[in-house]
Amino acid sequence: MAQSAQLQERINAFPTACRGAGLKVTPQRVAVYSMLVKTTQHPSPEEVYSEIRKLSPSISLATVYKILDMFMLKGFIRRVSTQDQVSRYDANLAPHDHLICSGCGKIQDIMGDEPQMRQPSGNQTNGFQVVSSEIHYHGFCGDCASVN
Amino acid sequence: MAQSAQLQERINAFPTACRGAGLKVTPQRVAVYSMLVKTTQHPSPEEVYSEIRKLSPSISLATVYKILDMFMLKGFIRRVSTQDQVSRYDANLAPHDHLICSGCGKIQDIMGDEPQMRQPSGNQTNGFQVVSSEIHYHGFCGDCASVN
DNA sequence: GTGGCTGCAAAGCTTTTGCATGTTC
DNA sequence: GAACATGCAAAAGCTTTGCAGCCAC
């Protein structure tokens, strides 16, 4: 599938991007980045940690936090807004929208029409300069809809 | 202004709504509800607490948390999604969109066109049933835009 | 009077910080 | 070899919980 080849390409480009940003390339950073690029979920630090621990049991949770912060600072990933108490991260930097399940809390990405085009309507913006936008759809995913 | 009369009406209706939901009406609950209805901000528990403390110094932070949870459960208020580490609450239950300032973190409400009408485009929804939606506009508010 | 609510204090999570050791370049 | 990253442990937030006393109904 073309999609996964594209992801692999981003992973291959990571060491160069990393050094370009003035960061050293370490196994821990490669592991965190690869995991975030590959998943369609929006994992929390704890989830990143336990996933990576399967392969590299010596990694520490504090390191995961430090790496995520650093990646945010360098613009490699971004934080997703959530209503619950944990941070969630996303390596998909293309503008896209979210389906948020009120049942299980899962967040699914969907591509928007032309999200760059959206502007707030009316004159209530008070000089606000829009840089980007995303739609949050709340509801129930396939699994949870069948239960409710 | 018609707007503030409408808010006052919601505050006046609160004791009845409260009892209707099987809750006792206490000064603390009235204070929390009034504060949330009146503000156009989206205060965190800590902010609710310190605001109410000015008038009723004996209220405790744990009580504020319990009241906010109970109000959520009863559908009087809702939690707003944020990227930072604190919960924020909103008593404005009408569908509306948000302007989120990347500079100062402030979240401003704006009314959408006809938000009920929005549906995710394409066929990537995988059986997801949309209940509601809101647009998050990211950018810089009037104050922060002039600095940047 | 009773059940539910409040306030206090303690505990539980998530996240951050400091520092010695280890790794990348 | 120097600068930076990691891992550990401790600390710092934010939030939840348990329980005795108090208040609304």
Side-chain angles (χ1 to χ4, degrees), chain B residues 23 43 47 56 63-64 79 85 112 114 118 121 136 148:
Chain B
L23 301 181
E47 285 162 353
S56 322
T63 299
V64 171
R79 205 176 265 179
Q85 245 44 63
E114 61 275 0
R118 287 196 291 257
S121 64
H136 288 208
N148 282 277

Side-chain angles (χ1 to χ4, degrees), chain A residues 49-86:
Chain A
Y49 172 62
S50 60
E51 187 65 27
I52 291 175
R53 232 152 105 84
K54 292 179 187 165
L55 303 167
S56 322
S58 69
I59 196 171
S60 96
L61 182 56
T63 300
V64 171
Y65 274 98
K66 286 171 189 165
I67 289 176
L68 291 171
D69 278 353
M70 187 55 81
F71 283 2
M72 287 259 293
L73 193 67
K74 297 299 182 181
F76 293 168
I77 63 175
R78 64 180 171 196
R79 204 176 269 177
V80 171
S81 2
T82 59
Q83 296 189 332
D84 49 5
Q85 245 44 68
V86 297

Side-chain angles (χ1 to χ4, degrees), chain A residues 10 17 29 31 35-36 38-40 43 52 55-57 60 73 80 82 95 101 104 106 112 116 119-120 123 139 145:
Chain A
R10 289 174 60 197
R29 284 174 176 173
M35 190 238 166
L36 284 174
K38 281 177 192 157
T39 184
T40 61
I52 291 175
L55 303 167
S56 322
S60 96
L73 193 67
V80 171
T82 59
C101 181
C104 61
K106 215 171 256 177
Q116 309 80 338
Q119 283 289 332
N123 44 13

Side-chain angles (χ1 to χ4, degrees), chain B:
Chain B
M1 190 180 175
Q3 185 71 359
S4 77
Q6 212 175 336
L7 298 183
Q8 191 55 51
E9 204 172 307
R10 289 175 60 198
I11 295 173
N12 294 340
F14 175 71
T16 309
C18 217
R19 292 194 193 93
L23 301 181
K24 289 184 177 169
V25 180
T26 66
Q28 292 85 342
R29 283 175 177 172
V30 173
V32 170
Y33 189 75
S34 303
M35 190 237 165
L36 285 174
V37 165
K38 282 179 192 157
T39 184
T40 60
Q41 312 291 324
H42 299 75
S44 63
E46 188 69 44
E47 285 162 353
V48 173
Y49 171 62
S50 59
E51 188 64 27
I52 291 177
R53 231 150 105 84
K54 293 178 190 168
L55 302 167
S56 322
S58 70
I59 197 172
S60 98
L61 182 55
T63 299
V64 171
Y65 274 98
K66 285 169 189 166
I67 289 176
L68 291 171
D69 278 354
M70 185 56 78
F71 283 2
M72 287 258 293
L73 193 68
K74 297 300 182 179
F76 293 167
I77 61 174
R78 64 181 171 196
R79 205 176 265 179
V80 171
S81 5
T82 59
Q83 295 189 334
D84 49 7
Q85 245 44 63
V86 296
S87 314
R88 302 195 162 277
Y89 296 87
D90 193 349
N92 178 4
L93 299 178
H96 61 275
D97 299 327
H98 286 138
L99 302 176
I100 303 164
C101 180
S102 307
C104 61
K106 213 170 260 178
I107 303 174
Q108 187 185 332
D109 283 350
I110 56 171
M111 294 300 136
D113 283 350
E114 61 275 0
Q116 310 83 333
M117 293 306 179
R118 287 196 291 257
Q119 283 290 332
S121 64
N123 44 12
Q124 336 162 50
T125 61
N126 246 0
F128 193 95
Q129 307 282 338
V130 175
V131 173
S132 68
S133 70
E134 90 236 14
I135 301 185
H136 288 208
Y137 294 100
H138 296 275
F140 293 92
C141 70
D143 295 342
C144 294
S146 52
V147 177
N148 282 277

Side-chain angles (χ1 to χ4, degrees), chain A residues 19 24-25 45 62 65-66 86-87:
Chain A
R19 291 192 195 93
K24 289 181 178 172
V25 180
Y65 274 98
K66 286 171 189 165
V86 297
S87 312

Side-chain angles (χ1 to χ4, degrees), chain A residues 4-42:
Chain A
S4 76
Q6 210 175 338
L7 298 183
Q8 191 56 53
E9 204 172 305
R10 289 174 60 197
I11 296 173
N12 293 342
F14 175 73
T16 309
C18 216
R19 291 192 195 93
L23 302 180
K24 289 181 178 172
V25 180
T26 66
Q28 292 87 340
R29 284 174 176 173
V30 172
V32 170
Y33 189 76
S34 302
M35 190 238 166
L36 284 174
V37 165
K38 281 177 192 157
T39 184
T40 61
Q41 311 292 324
H42 300 75

